Amino acid sequence: MSLSDYELHDRLNRLSSASADRDILVTLAAPPNESIGEVRQPVETDYAEASQLDEQSFPKPLIDAVESVRSELNEYDEIPDNGLAIYAGVADGDLLTSVFDDLPVSIDDSVYRHATEFDLEPLEAITEPESTHGLLVVERGGAALGLLDEEGVEPIDTFESEVPGKSSAGGQSAERFERDRERQKREFFDEVAERADRQFLGDDPVDGVLLGGTTGTIETFREEAELDHRLEDRIVGEFAVEYASQQGLHQLAEKGQEAIEERDREAVTETLDEFFERIGDDEPVAYGHDEVDDALEYDAVETLLLSTALEGADLQEFGDRTEAQGGETVVVPDDFPDGNRFVEAFDGVGALLRFPIE
C-alpha cells in the first residue's frame, strides 16, 4: 500500500466510522457524464427548503451539511473526469467534510441522500485491490490463459496441443516416435510461453503469474519452455489443476488467492523484519513520533514505516518529508501479528536510518 493509498484508506475509515442518530449525514456522488447543473439541483432544493422550515423539520446539523456540500459544489464548473463525491455531516459535534475529485476509477451511479451514515458504495471500487495476475494452466493436452483482477477471472485463450500419447510400440520406430513426441512437446511449450509473453507482458504487464497443471507437466514446462525471464520473476506459485479450461482457470485463481496475499505482504514483512533486527542489533533506527521527527530534521530517514492503525492526516507530513529526502514510505497493515506488535510496542511509527543520530 502506497502513502496515497494509505491516505485514502484513512479518509474512508473516518467516513465509515461516522454516525448520527438522525438523517443528517449527506452523501453526494456524481458520475462524469452528469452536468454540474443536474448535480446541484437537489442540493439547491434542500437549501431553499431549509430557509423556510423550522429546526424540527430541517435540523441545524443537516442545514450545515447541505451548506457545506453546496459550497464545495460551487468550486466546480463541470464534473471531473472520473466523477465527484462529497460527504458532509456533523459527527461527534464537529462538521466533517470530505471531497473526492481525483478518483482512480469512475463513479457509476448518481447519489444524493441524508442518512444516519455516509453511503460509501459509490467509492467501493477504489477500495478494492488493483493488482492483476496472469493465470496459466498447462497440460499435455492443452493450455488455458486468463486474468485475475478485482472483478474476478477473465478467460483469454484456450487451445489444444497436438502432442500424442506415449507409444506402446518397441524398437527403432518407438525411439523415432518418442523423439518426434518430445519435439512436438517442446514446440507446444514454446507456443504456450509465447502466448503467455504476449498476453501478460506489454504496456500493462501483470503483477504476478499463477501457474497450474499436474506437477510433472509444470516442472517440465518451466525447464523446457522459453518463458520470458520477466514472467519467471513474476510467478507467484505452482498449483495442482486438473483441466486446461475455463473451469481450470477458476480453480487456479481460487487455489492461488492465499499465495497472492502472502506475496503482496512480502515487501512489508521484509522491511518490518529489518526494523526489528536493527533494534535488536542496536543499529540506526528511530521510532515514535518524536524520534522520527528528529531523524527527519537531520535528513537521516532512509525508509519510513507507518501503521494503518494511525490517522493519515497526522502522518502525511512525515511521508512528504521522507520523500523530499529521497527516502521511501512503507505502510504496515495492523491485521497480522508483527503489524500489531509494531503498533503496540513502537506506536506504529518507525524509520530505518541512513546514519545514527544523537
Side-chain angles (χ1 to χ4, degrees):
M1 184 187 291
S2 68
L3 186 60
S4 59
D5 291 335
Y6 176 59
E7 294 173 63
L8 184 59
H9 168 92
D10 176 69
R11 291 175 67 193
L12 292 174
N13 266 355
R14 281 186 285 138
L15 290 172
S16 66
S17 63
S19 63
D21 56 4
R22 294 178 291 176
D23 293 338
I24 58 173
L25 302 184
V26 178
T27 297
L28 180 142
N33 58 357
E34 275 200 78
S35 72
I36 192 69
E38 290 174 320
V39 176
R40 284 184 179 139
Q41 185 175 353
V43 181
E44 293 295 339
T45 299
D46 272 352
Y47 184 73
E49 288 182 2
S51 63
Q52 300 172 15
L53 299 173
D54 58 32
E55 188 170 329
Q56 186 173 358
S57 302
F58 217 103
K60 178 67 164 57
L62 180 55
I63 295 174
D64 292 343
V66 171
E67 286 183 339
S68 181
V69 171
R70 182 173 181 263
S71 175
E72 294 293 345
L73 277 176
N74 285 336
E75 298 294 321
Y76 297 89
D77 295 323
E78 59 183 18
I79 301 300
D81 291 342
N82 279 336
L84 175 67
I86 303 175
Y87 296 90
V90 176
D92 298 325
D94 297 318
L95 177 63
L96 170 66
T97 302
S98 193
V99 179
F100 298 83
D101 60 2
D102 187 18
L103 298 167
V105 295
S106 181
I107 290 176
D108 294 327
D109 300 312
S110 179
V111 176
Y112 178 67
R113 63 171 59 119
H114 319 147
T116 58
E117 297 178 341
F118 291 120
D119 181 0
L120 298 181
E121 189 172 343
L123 302 184
E124 191 174 54
I126 67 175
T127 64
E128 294 173 346
E130 296 179 15
S131 62
T132 300
H133 286 75
L135 302 172
L136 176 57
V137 180
V138 186
E139 277 299 318
R140 183 184 62 80
L145 292 88
L147 291 174
L148 172 66
D149 58 20
E150 63 271 14
E151 295 182 1
V153 174
E154 177 191 346
I156 295 176
D157 195 8
T158 58
F159 54 100
E160 296 180 356
S161 81
E162 297 181 359
V163 181
K166 292 185 178 181
S167 170
S168 59
Q172 291 184 343
S173 59
E175 293 176 3
R176 186 167 55 251
F177 175 87
E178 190 59 30
R179 285 196 300 271
D180 287 343
R181 181 176 176 276
E182 284 299 313
R183 176 184 54 78
Q184 289 176 288
K185 184 178 69 173
R186 285 194 300 272
E187 289 174 352
F188 170 64
F189 283 166
D190 286 342
E191 181 186 1
V192 173
E194 182 182 346
R195 294 199 191 194
D197 293 348
R198 191 165 59 245
Q199 294 292 344
F200 300 151
L201 298 173
D203 294 337
D204 189 18
V206 296
D207 298 288
V209 177
L210 302 178
L211 188 56
T214 57
T215 302
T217 304
I218 295 175
E219 289 177 354
T220 306
F221 172 73
R222 294 194 68 172
E223 288 171 2
E224 298 184 3
E226 296 183 7
L227 196 64
D228 190 292
H229 70 90
R230 292 171 294 173
L231 281 188
E232 279 282 1
D233 293 342
R234 285 174 166 83
I235 292 177
V236 176
E238 301 173 2
F239 305 91
V241 175
E242 268 185 84
Y243 305 108
S245 62
Q246 289 193 22
Q247 178 186 353
L249 291 174
H250 283 276
Q251 186 181 18
L252 176 58
E254 183 178 348
K255 290 191 172 187
Q257 192 62 51
E258 185 176 343
I260 290 173
E261 292 171 0
E262 288 178 1
R263 178 168 173 145
D264 287 345
R265 185 164 281 174
E266 275 181 11
V268 172
T269 303
E270 288 175 7
T271 305
L272 195 55
D273 286 346
E274 182 178 355
F275 174 79
F276 292 146
E277 287 172 9
R278 285 198 184 190
I279 289 176
D281 296 338
D282 201 24
E283 293 185 26
V285 293
Y287 52 85
H289 288 68
D290 292 341
E291 280 194 19
V292 172
D293 183 61
D294 288 343
L296 287 166
E297 289 290 333
Y298 286 95
D299 289 353
V301 174
E302 181 177 31
T303 304
L304 175 70
L305 294 87
L306 300 177
S307 171
T308 55
L310 306 174
E311 292 194 9
D314 295 337
L315 301 171
Q316 176 61 43
E317 181 189 357
F318 281 178
D320 291 343
R321 290 164 66 189
T322 300
E323 185 178 343
Q325 295 176 19
E328 65 171 334
T329 300
V330 174
V331 179
V332 182
D334 64 331
D335 60 353
F336 70 113
D338 279 348
N340 191 49
R341 174 189 170 197
F342 180 57
V343 176
E344 292 185 350
F346 304 99
D347 296 333
V349 185
L352 306 180
L353 304 184
R354 298 185 177 95
F355 50 84
I357 60 170
E358 295 298 329

